[in-house]
């Protein structure tokens, strides 16, 4: 099977299904967009830290932290209470809050989308302020408590070291002096570790306390509609589903693309293609001239006396076609042939044109016409018109098939040829599809 035949079977043969499955999702998506209330977005810009991230991984970590704070229920409830908004809930706002990082910096846009532009402006500004407040103060309460514990431990170790140093200076026992020296070295090591931890926490606190508001939203902007993209995706999805279904249908119920493919399945020639209903109404004929010539030559070659038309088209169209072809094949007689006569002799017994004394016997022949016996009339019938009067006739079959004929017709023709023994002299293509009103 050629590629164009597969396309005809799948695309042209199921064009109504394909159009329906492409148009339906497009109409549904268009209806959803038309019924959707327009939304507005407002964004506030904040700085999470004055220290720029050292790498993309660190920048992603800062982004995750800011996003987690801005979308947390505690911060959202505080923002709603501060903005005095009671018509929105946390569950409604979480999907409408977005945090976007500018490049690899620590600057972020916190945006809120809402159907009311005023609520979007107020809520995005308040939410950004609450996020900055959490980064500046509430977010470092635990490190501050740890810093206080480390400073208290550092004071205790310093007191302990002073006492050990005093005892070491007063002792005269070498063993006790060695023990005090070891304890003093251990205390010094702990003091160094605590001092390092205090310095690290102080640096982190300094970095975390550098969050600040950069700008608050002045007005909300309308969210651009995505109807064109959604319609394109809906149409593409519908087309893919339609082609898949059409392919499955062709596998379950295969068809033959056209008359030429049908003739190839039966190993028969194509006699031509019939006229369409419009052409038949204008020319008052169903069979084209080349069809008549091809059928006449096929009848002569097979020496037939009867041609039977059969196929999927309705009986009325086959009967009309048989009547149209019958007028061109009925009562055909072979042309008369004239036999050449012998040349007449001259009065003196010499043949004209010959020199010399050569005598010839005088024979005078008149022109003779040889007429062969009359050929029998060739009957053209539809399969529904066949009766018992066809016994003893030399019958030939002509398959009349429209485009996209079910493949079961090929098997039916094979069975008919096997049971009748009639030769299949050719295939006629019919532009009128099966199921449509015939001529």
């Amino acid at each position: 099977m050629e590629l164009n035949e597969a396309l005809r079977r799948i695309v042209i043969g199921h064009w109504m299904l394909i159009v329906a499955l492409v148009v339906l999702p497009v109409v549904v998506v268009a209806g959803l967009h038309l019924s959707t209330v327009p939304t507005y977005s407002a964004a506030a810009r904040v700085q999470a830290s004055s220290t720029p991230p050292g790498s993309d991984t660190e920048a992603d970590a800062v982004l995750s932290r800011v996003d987690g704070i801005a979308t947390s229920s505690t911060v959202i409830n505080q923002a709603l209470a501060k903005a005095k908004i009671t018509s929105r809930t946390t569950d409604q706002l979480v999907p409408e809050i977005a945090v976007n990082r500018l490049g690899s910096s620590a600057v972020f846009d916190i945006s809120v989308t809402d159907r009311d532009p005023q609520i979007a402006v107020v809520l995005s500004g308040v939410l950004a302020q609450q996020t900055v407040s959490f980064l500046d103060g509430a977010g470092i309460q635990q490190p501050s408590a740890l810093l206080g514990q480390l400073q208290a431990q550092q004071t205790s170790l310093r007191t302990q070291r002073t006492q050990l140093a005093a005892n070491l200076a007063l002792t005269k026992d070498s063993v006790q002096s060695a023990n005090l020296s070891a304890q003093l070295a251990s205390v010094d090591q702990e003091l160094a570790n605590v001092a390092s931890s205090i310095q690290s926490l102080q640096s982190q606190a300094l970095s975390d306390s550098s969050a600040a508001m950069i700008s608050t939203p002045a007005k909300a902007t309308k969210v651009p509609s995505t109807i064109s993209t959604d319609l394109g995706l809906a149409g593409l999805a519908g087309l893919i589903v339609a082609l898949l279904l059409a392919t499955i249908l062709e596998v379950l119920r295969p068809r033959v693309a056209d008359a030429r493919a049908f003739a190839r399945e039966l190993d028969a020639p194509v006699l031509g293609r019939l006229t369409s209903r419009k052409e038949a109404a204008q020319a008052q004929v169903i069979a084209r001239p080349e069809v008549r010539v091809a059928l006449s030559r096929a009848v002569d070659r097979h020496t037939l006396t009867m041609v039977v038309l059969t196929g999927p088209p309705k009986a009325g169209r086959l009967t009309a076609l048989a009547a149209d072809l019958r007028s061109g094949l009925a009562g055909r007689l072979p042309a008369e042939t004239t036999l050449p006569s012998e040349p007449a002799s001259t009065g003196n017994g010499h043949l004209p044109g010959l020199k010399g004394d050569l005598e010839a016997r005088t024979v005078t022949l008149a022109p003779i016409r040889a007429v062969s016996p009359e050929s029998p009339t060739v009957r053209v019938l539809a399969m529904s018109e066949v009766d018992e009067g066809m016994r003893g006739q030399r019958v030939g079959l002509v398959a009349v098939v429209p485009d996209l004929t079910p493949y079961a017709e090929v098997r039916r023709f094979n069975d008919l040829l096997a049971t009748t023994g009639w030769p299949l002299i050719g295939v006629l293509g019919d532009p009128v599809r099966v199921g449509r009103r015939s001529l």
Side-chain angles (χ1 to χ4, degrees), residues 16-34:
M16 295 182 65
L17 173 66
I18 294 175
V19 171
L21 291 181
V22 170
V23 172
L24 181 61
V26 171
V27 172
V28 172
V29 171
L32 292 176
H33 273 276
L34 292 177

Side-chain angles (χ1 to χ4, degrees), residues 242-328:
L243 291 177
L244 181 60
L245 289 179
T247 303
I248 294 174
L249 289 176
E250 279 300 318
V251 172
L252 297 177
R253 295 182 299 176
R255 295 182 291 181
V256 183
D258 52 18
R260 187 162 300 280
F262 195 94
R264 187 170 61 247
E265 293 288 337
L266 296 176
D267 194 19
V270 178
L271 300 178
R273 189 173 178 84
L274 304 178
T275 58
S276 63
R277 287 180 294 180
K278 183 178 180 181
E279 292 172 336
Q282 294 175 350
Q284 300 299 322
V285 293
I286 301 177
R288 301 176 189 271
E290 58 269 21
V291 172
R292 300 172 183 273
V293 173
L295 184 59
S296 176
R297 295 300 92 196
V299 168
D300 290 342
R301 185 165 62 89
H302 291 275
T303 63
L304 303 176
T305 60
M306 179 181 290
V307 175
V308 176
L309 306 179
T310 183
K314 293 182 178 180
R317 180 165 176 82
L318 290 179
T319 303
L321 175 61
D324 187 28
L325 292 174
R326 193 179 301 130
S327 61

Side-chain angles (χ1 to χ4, degrees), residues 108-128:
F108 301 88
D109 283 338
I110 301 177
S111 61
V112 176
T113 303
D114 195 87
R115 60 180 179 271
D116 189 339
Q118 188 62 30
I119 290 180
V121 170
V122 173
L123 194 55
S124 61
V126 175
L127 185 63

Side-chain angles (χ1 to χ4, degrees), residues 137-146:
I140 58 173
Q141 290 178 357
Q142 184 176 356
S144 298
L146 181 59

Side-chain angles (χ1 to χ4, degrees), residues 3 6 10 13-14 28 37 56 88 106 119 129 162 185-186 225 230 262-263 267 308 313 317 328 338 344 365 415 420:
L3 178 61
I10 295 174
H14 299 277
V28 172
V37 179
D56 290 339
R88 302 292 186 271
I119 290 180
Q129 291 176 356
T162 302
S186 176
S225 175
D230 293 343
F262 195 94
D267 194 19
V308 176
R317 180 165 176 82
T338 302
L365 298 176
D415 294 339
T420 61

